[in-house]
């Protein structure tokens, strides 16, 4: 049987082992009021960034002009205006959720699927613009590899989620760009990769999926990491970051090449 020893008692016992209790924190949002009516909440960044002219917010489907900010009580008073409001959300966003299902759902919407919700005119217009911009990055029957745009990078648009993509980046070996930061939507490959190298790397990765590499400093994110061996802490984080099933699905999906992405050698 294992027990807390004197060193652990000294290090973790402050305030009755309070670190054992899960603590959730949220951004210090401001409550937005029009008169006595609460409109919603807003990110404080919208109230502090430098602007020219009156400060306006987009909330509850319309624009509001800020008339007074009570910093001590985190309250913001507004009045309705015709337009010009701005919105911002401080959540993790799609690029940091790591969710395979959520990212694939976003891909389905880009391919034309309509979510079962009521759209405002602004949202309907914005969705049309996003679909137009992403037309070359999604395909109903395959993942897409693209070279071009503002740089010469080769991006494999997997739409597999962050966890699956970091797993793929670790498994593709030298085919993946070692300096990249994978996102939910793509993995960056070497600029000079050839068609033969890509096919070989993809085939090899399907048979030897690897856990993502973890920076040693990340082990401090684990609760009571000081009580774990560094290798065990890194292995724990790597396992939590990985999505083997999502990576396998991406490797099995056919690939579609656009903009002459991969060149033949010889």
């Amino acid at each position: 049987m294992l027990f807390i020893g004197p060193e652990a008692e000294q290090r973790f016992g402050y305030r009755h082992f309070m670190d054992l209790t899960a603590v959730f924190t949220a951004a210090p949002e401001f409550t937005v009021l029009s008169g006595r009516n609460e409109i919603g909440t807003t990110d404080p960044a919208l109230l502090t960034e430098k602007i020219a002219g009156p400060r306006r917010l987009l909330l509850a489907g319309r624009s509001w002009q800020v008339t007074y900010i009570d910093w001590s009580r985190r309250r913001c008073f507004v009045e309705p205006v015709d337009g010009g409001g701005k919105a911002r959300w401080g959540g993790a966003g799609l690029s940091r959720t790591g969710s395979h299902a959520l990212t694939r759902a976003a891909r389905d919407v880009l391919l034309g699927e309509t979510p079962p919700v009521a759209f405002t005119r602004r949202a309907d217009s914005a969705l049309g613009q996003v679909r137009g911009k992403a037309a070359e990055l999604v395909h109903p029957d395959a993942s897409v590899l693209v070279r071009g745009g503002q740089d010469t990078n080769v991006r494999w648009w997997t739409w597999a989620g962050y966890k699956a993509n970091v797993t793929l980046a670790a498994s593709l070996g030298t085919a993946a760009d070692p300096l990249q930061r994978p996102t939910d939507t793509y993995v960056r490959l070497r600029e000079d990769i050839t068609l033969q190298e890509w096919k070989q790397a993809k085939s090899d990765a399907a048979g030897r999926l690897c856990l993502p590499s973890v920076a040693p400093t990340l082990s401090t994110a684990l609760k009571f990491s000081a009580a774990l061996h560094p290798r065990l802490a890194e292995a724990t984080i790597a396992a939590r970051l990985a999505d083997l099933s999502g990576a396998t699905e991406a490797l099995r999906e056919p690939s579609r090449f656009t903009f002459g992405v991969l060149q033949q050698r010889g």
Side-chain angles (χ1 to χ4, degrees), residues 15 54 62 66 103 132 147 173 220:
R15 297 185 67 181
R62 64 173 307 170
V66 176
T103 310
R147 185 204 304 276
T220 58

Side-chain angles (χ1 to χ4, degrees), residues 31-37 39 42 46-47 51 53-57 63-71 75-81:
T31 301
V32 180
L33 299 157
S34 176
R36 295 185 177 181
N37 297 322
I39 308 302
T42 188
L46 285 175
L47 305 177
I51 60 171
R55 191 178 301 277
R56 294 184 175 182
L57 310 176
S63 294
W64 308 86
Q65 184 163 310
V66 176
T67 57
Y68 177 72
I69 302 174
D70 187 338
W71 298 102
R75 292 183 176 183
C76 172
F77 294 88
V78 297
E79 60 185 15
V81 289

